[in-house]
Amino acid sequence: LRDFAAVHSARGDVVRFIGYNPIFEVDLMESFAAERGVEYDNFRDPIGDLQIELDITSFPTTVFIASDGDVVDRRGVLDADQLDAAIDELLAAD
């Protein structure tokens, strides 16, 4: 999450970041994110509706969604450099 927080800090004006957690209770999720410098929106989905809708079968998964709502890519574990590169690649393809 620290890598995502850093990239969000640098690119959050161009790309919207949203965190998703189907497991932790709200207080734990918020404190976990805050301790890692996360300032983007985080949502909890204890029933797993979003997980089902996006066909997420493993964690962590990063899903890239275009402004029209289409899923354009999905990746597993990413560090800051890999996330930056993926954003650049997808924005260039748009």
Side-chain angles (χ1 to χ4, degrees):
L1 278 184
R2 285 186 174 86
D3 286 335
F4 278 66
V7 175
H8 173 260
S9 179
R11 304 192 70 166
D13 59 335
V14 177
V15 178
R16 181 162 185 206
F17 284 61
I18 297 172
Y20 163 76
N21 191 317
I23 300 168
F24 291 162
E25 294 298 323
V26 172
D27 292 344
L28 181 57
M29 180 181 71
E30 289 176 348
S31 65
F32 183 82
E35 289 169 5
R36 286 150 183 82
V38 171
E39 295 181 357
Y40 49 83
D41 292 328
N42 282 283
F43 297 95
R44 184 170 180 271
D45 181 22
I47 297 173
D49 290 336
L50 184 62
Q51 183 177 346
I52 293 165
E53 182 68 29
L54 294 176
D55 193 29
I56 297 172
T57 58
S58 63
F59 291 93
T61 297
T62 300
V63 179
F64 295 88
I65 302 173
S67 60
D68 64 4
D70 287 341
V71 173
V72 295
D73 198 4
R74 59 180 65 235
R75 312 227 179 153
V77 176
L78 296 171
D79 64 22
D81 291 337
Q82 292 167 324
L83 179 58
D84 250 338
I87 291 169
D88 287 340
E89 174 187 323
L90 293 169
L91 287 175
D94 187 34

